[in-house]
Each structure stands twice: as C-alpha cells, then as structure tokens.
Amino acid sequence: MPKNVTHPKSPAAFVRPLVRGLHAYTPGEQPKIRGLIKLNTNENPYPPSPKVLKCVRDAVDDRLRLYPDPTAEPLRWALATLHNCTPENIIVGNGSDELLALAVRTFVEPARESLPENLPSSTSQKKGSRQPRDSKNRVQFFAPSYSLYPVLAESHGALPHPVPLADNFTIPTIAQLKRSGLWDFRAALSLITTPNAPSGRGYTTDELNVLCNAQKGITILDEAYVDFAQENALELPFRHSHVLVSRTFSKAYSLCFQRVGYFIAHPELISALHRMRDSYNVNGLGQIAAVATLADLPYYRQNFSKIRGSRQRLSDALTDFGWSVLPSETNFILTRPTGPTAREWLEALRSHRILVRWFATAGLEGFLRITVGTDAEVDRLLKAIRTLIRTQKRH
Ligand SMILES: Cc1ncc(COP(=O)(O)O)c(C=O)c1O
C-alpha cells in the first residue's frame, strides 16, 4: 500500500460527530455456503416467474449504456392500474428502504447534530405530556418492529421514538396509548409495520384506520409482507391525506436482488418525495422486472397460497414439538423453542446447515424467527429439529 501523505487531522476527525456515533443496521447473513437452507431474511423461496426472467434477460443489451426512466413511468402506470389510482399517487424507490429513508428526510426536522451517547430519545418526553416539544423531530414506531427505523432516524439527526407493543405484539388501543402517555400523536412521522415484523402479527384495516384517525403527523403503513396477510390497508391513503402505504417487490414477488419498492399516497406528499430523491433512483432492469411481474400476477398468487400452506404445516409441527408459535400473516413465523435457549437453537440449526434469525433485543431473546421455505426446506428443518431433540434427550 502506498504511504499516506500525512494530514494534521486524523481521517476520523473529518467525519460528522453524528455519523461517528451511528450504529448501522444489521442485515441478516448472506453466506455463500453450498447446500445451506436460508430461512433468515424472509426472501421468497420461489423464483420470479419465467416470464419475468425472460424479460430481464432480453433487456440485457445495448440499453445498459443508457440511464433508466427517471420516474419509472411505465411501472407507475402499471401500479396505478392495479391499485385503481393515478401515477401521481405513486413513487418508486430502490427498495422500500430507500423510500423510508426519503420519508424521514422529507417529513422530519433533524433535532441536533448528535444525540448524547446512550440516551434513548424517548426519555425526553414527560409522561402524560400532551404536546411534547420535540414532536417535529420524532420518528415514532412500535417496538419491536422493523429495526431499520431507528437507524434512519439517527442518521438524519432525528429522534427515534420506540413505543412498546401490547401483549403478543398487538397494537395498544387509542385509550391505552393515551393513558400510557408514551405514544406521541403529533410525531412528525410514525411508522407502522403491518403485518408486524418480526412477530408476523396482522392488524385489521379497522384498527389501523382508528389509529390513522388519531394521528396528527405523517403515518406510514409499511406493508412489506401484506401479500401473505388476510387484509391490506390500501384504502387508507385515499381516506387520509397524511397516510402513506409502503409496498415492496422484494418479498412476495421474489425480487430482493432488483431492489424495487413503492409508496402510495396523496399526490402532494408524493411530489415532495420526488423532489428529494436521486434523479435515477431505480435501476432499469429492476423497473423492467417489476412491470413484467405485474403482468404475471396469477403465478405469484399461487406462490402466496403455497407459502401460506407451508406456514401452517410448519406452525403445526413446531407446536407438536411443544414450541409456542405466534399466529403469522407473513412469510415467516416467530416461535419460542423449548429446551436449549433460542440462541443455542440458532447455532445448533446452523450446524445442520439451516440458517434462521435470532435477535439480541430485549423481549425477543427467547424467540427464533423462521422464514417459510419450500415444503422440502420445511421438511429438512423439521427433521433437523427432531434429530436435535432426540440428541438433547439422550444427554
Ligand atoms: C418491515 C419491512 N419493511 C421494509 C423492508 C425493506 O424492503 P425492501 O427490500 O423493499 O427495501 C423490509 C425488509 O426486510 C421489512 O422487513
């Protein structure tokens, strides 16, 4: 390595204090071990439709030297047709993660350059106070939910504001939220994962509507897993001008690799987000893959029903082992194993070349989150658990 020309400042001193103290989001492992069964990142076990693969292959030509459509126009038209709205109601992003980050930057005022270390932002709210001073700086979400939300808030210098879910990961009622004084109805941005991750719990449109009604700030319903659920809340952005729905092609439509997500909301909100995004934020092959996906929805609907069937079989079998399994409306389940700790189960399954997810988060340490795989993968998982239980009994 060539010797650095020395500068009086250390490289770290150039980095903003806020960024120096930032904890990055921890994505699930993506190891390249042959024969591994990957049930840790909620990817779809089935490939994209053959028609989608053909469209992507056919697009790999001279076009690659050109910039893609800057507003993903054909895709927004196809989505508008599907959802019975106009392209002005839709923005497409480089995965829904990009749009969630854009929403934080668009709707939330940064609070200060850096938060005092280890100080949870929620401590700044007085219990029972009706108009917390820093609502305009708050990114509010239920805990547990998608662990990216606090990272997005912190990287913007906003205040992450987690509020515990009720028992069994249900959303507290408005009366309970008011009584506890923890929930800030005026928070600049509230993010609701529905169905919830990592619990898999689904919420009804009615209860989400009641919550949206009570909200004074922007509210995003993050429906990343909604295609595996019984209900969706797509009507709510059309009833409430402060509500957005977030969707992704990653999970249900087997396109994690291509990074395509979208928001649906009032045109004024969408137009504000457009002003904040990069000019060519969605890659061309991703746009082509997503348009082709929408042209072959029956293929995907078959997959949803296969996954729901495998989810039931997996849940029943784990329950027979004595494990408790939360009801799921997603393509994963949250389960509390018996015997060894959840962390030990994670390691034991890994030794059988099966990857599941464990969170070192308060309230979740006793659980494993398992993505629903193909029936063959579910069989391999159950066989491994059965073998491990037998070995544990012998010792
Ligand atoms: C709740 C939730 N929202 C959003 C995302 C991001 O999805 P995308 O791949 O569209 O960025 C995920 C990914 O794991 C998720 O779990």
Side-chain angles (χ1 to χ4, degrees):
M1 204 168 134
K3 210 166 172 282
N4 274 341
V5 180
T6 50
H7 188 284
K9 265 164 106 171
S10 88
F14 291 104
V15 180
R16 290 167 58 208
L18 180 147
V19 180
R20 259 184 267 145
L22 212 59
H23 299 287
Y25 172 72
T26 320
E29 264 185 277
Q30 296 288 7
K32 301 277 173 287
I33 304 169
R34 280 182 71 127
L36 192 83
I37 297 190
K38 230 183 133 286
L39 305 176
N40 64 332
T41 47
N42 300 340
E43 287 141 327
N44 197 308
Y46 301 107
S49 102
K51 290 179 189 160
V52 169
L53 294 176
K54 180 171 182 332
C55 281
V56 173
R57 262 187 228 113
D58 290 351
V60 179
D61 57 23
D62 180 51
R63 260 172 288 183
L64 294 193
R65 75 192 168 78
L66 300 173
Y67 282 110
D69 187 314
T71 58
E73 183 99 1
L75 176 54
R76 282 170 47 246
W77 270 105
L79 287 167
T81 307
L82 176 70
H83 296 312
N84 200 17
C85 60
T86 71
E88 287 71 37
N89 290 112
I90 296 168
I91 181 170
V92 182
N94 182 32
S96 52
D97 278 352
E98 185 205 16
L99 296 174
L100 295 169
L102 264 186
V104 172
R105 285 165 46 211
T106 304
F107 303 120
V108 189
E109 286 293 345
R112 46 186 174 253
E113 180 56 13
S114 54
L115 291 175
E117 260 175 41
N118 303 326
L119 177 70
S121 69
S122 46
T123 55
S124 61
Q125 183 183 351
K126 281 191 224 97
K127 201 172 181 226
S129 69
R130 293 198 143 236
Q131 278 198 317
R133 241 182 17 256
D134 42 13
S135 296
K136 67 177 188 307
N137 312 120
R138 284 208 168 125
V139 176
Q140 175 168 250
F141 45 89
F142 287 112
S145 65
Y146 186 26
S147 52
L148 178 70
Y149 303 151
V151 178
L152 296 179
E154 275 162 13
S155 64
H156 180 58
L159 305 176
H161 189 72
V163 173
L165 283 167
D167 285 349
N168 275 333
F169 308 96
T170 53
I171 294 182
T173 62
I174 301 295
Q176 287 168 333
L177 289 173
K178 285 189 175 157
R179 218 175 304 126
S180 77
L182 294 174
W183 185 259
D184 180 358
F185 290 93
R186 294 183 178 277
L189 176 61
S190 301
L191 296 154
I192 320 287
T193 317
T194 171
N196 178 259
S199 73
R201 160 88 56 196
Y203 305 120
T204 66
T205 308
D206 282 348
E207 67 184 310
L208 294 169
N209 184 42
V210 171
L211 182 62
C212 289
N213 248 329
Q215 294 296 109
K216 303 285 177 258
I218 292 286
T219 305
I220 297 182
L221 305 173
D222 181 347
E223 292 195 329
Y225 299 98
V226 82
D227 296 281
F228 306 105
Q230 290 180 20
E231 289 189 39
N232 68 66
L234 199 67
E235 67 197 69
L236 297 186
F238 299 100
R239 278 207 233 162
H240 304 278
S241 57
H242 64 296
V243 173
L244 300 91
V245 158
S246 174
R247 294 274 180 98
T248 178
F249 282 85
S250 294
K251 314 291 179 176
Y253 301 96
S254 308
L255 277 185
C256 290
F257 199 74
Q258 296 279 18
R259 312 297 302 122
V260 188
Y262 61 100
F263 276 3
I264 300 184
H266 190 281
E268 292 279 346
L269 300 184
I270 295 296
S271 144
L273 291 160
H274 273 298
R275 269 174 263 148
M276 293 292 283
R277 67 172 174 80
D278 291 343
S279 324
Y280 303 105
N281 63 326
V282 189
N283 79 85
L285 294 178
Q287 294 187 34
I288 283 170
V291 171
T293 298
L294 297 179
D296 199 11
L297 288 179
Y299 168 88
Y300 293 93
R301 290 187 181 131
Q302 268 185 8
N303 288 350
F304 306 158
S305 94
K306 274 197 270 184
I307 288 171
R308 282 196 213 105
S310 311
R311 180 176 77 194
Q312 190 59 50
R313 206 163 66 80
L314 172 63
S315 303
D316 291 347
L318 294 178
T319 309
D320 287 347
F321 289 141
W323 295 21
S324 63
V325 183
L326 273 123
S328 168
E329 296 209 28
T330 59
N331 67 336
F332 57 85
I333 54 149
L334 193 70
T335 177
R336 190 190 275 282
T338 52
T341 65
R343 191 178 187 171
E344 285 163 348
W345 272 109
L346 171 88
E347 296 306 333
L349 288 171
R350 203 187 156 86
S351 69
H352 281 249
R353 293 171 162 252
I354 297 172
L355 228 57
V356 298
R357 189 97 191 248
W358 174 77
F359 299 92
T361 312
L364 288 175
E365 302 102 322
F367 293 94
L368 291 176
R369 194 195 67 188
I370 306 177
T371 306
V372 178
T374 60
D375 271 336
E377 288 172 332
V378 168
D379 286 342
R380 278 256 321 255
L381 170 70
L382 294 174
K383 190 171 168 211
I385 295 176
R386 219 171 280 121
T387 308
L388 286 162
I389 290 175
R390 239 182 272 128
T391 325
Q392 287 154 14
K393 278 193 183 140
R394 261 188 251 124
H395 292 103

